Amino acid sequence: MHLNRYKLISQESLMVFEFTSIGHKGNIIKIIQYTPTKIKNIYNLGFGDKDMQTGLINDLSVTDNGDSQKVLATVAFSIYLFTEAHPNALVYAVGSTKARTRLYRIGITNQWEAIEKDFNVYGLIDGDWKKFKKVIAYEAFLVQRKKL
């Protein structure tokens, strides 16, 4: 996937990434974090602004920095890097709000041709995981890197 994106900074394990959103509201540090869940090989994708007081992710802040496509492309690229380093991982992603989950679906839909070449994508609907289809409003997403 060759989209305009920000440069990522990460430690060796590729579990946490940082980048700086640059827009009309200034420079805002973002964090992407992959956290293991209680289910083996499933990692939660956490994303948001870096709280400068705590260093933690604030996934409820609304940056509105005018660069949302570039930010989403950067998060998507981190999934490539993370699953390359952790090939058995499945990435669980859900927005902190319904609107953000919808934004993720729109992002997947817009880049579907590139995404489906490298990933299996599933959507959660009514408690069941289904193969991703563009027209369905899912509650969450599960992404798995295809084996070479």
Side-chain angles (χ1 to χ4, degrees), residues 55-81:
L56 301 175
I57 297 172
N58 178 347
D59 63 355
L60 294 174
S61 64
V62 178
T63 305
D64 196 22
N65 211 12
D67 61 346
S68 62
Q69 294 303 311
K70 191 171 184 178
V71 168
L72 282 175
T74 305
V75 174
F77 184 66
S78 80
I79 297 173
Y80 276 89
L81 296 174

Side-chain angles (χ1 to χ4, degrees), residues 125-145:
I125 189 159
D126 297 327
D128 289 324
W129 291 102
K130 305 285 185 185
K131 194 123 176 102
F132 180 85
K133 292 184 181 173
K134 295 180 181 181
V135 296
I136 297 173
Y138 295 105
E139 301 160 29
F141 304 94
L142 197 61
V143 180
Q144 178 184 41
R145 186 80 172 252

Side-chain angles (χ1 to χ4, degrees), residues 10-54:
S10 180
Q11 83 284 65
E12 198 171 316
S13 70
L14 299 178
M15 299 285 284
V16 179
F17 298 85
E18 284 192 12
F19 67 95
T20 303
S21 163
I22 303 168
H24 59 267
K25 291 194 176 177
N27 295 352
I28 299 166
I29 299 173
K30 305 279 191 178
I31 299 176
I32 306 164
Q33 183 171 6
Y34 295 89
T35 306
T37 67
K38 293 179 181 180
I39 303 171
K40 183 179 181 183
N41 292 330
I42 296 184
Y43 293 79
N44 182 67
L45 185 158
F47 166 70
D49 291 358
K50 182 176 186 176
D51 182 311
M52 300 312 284
Q53 301 292 328
T54 66

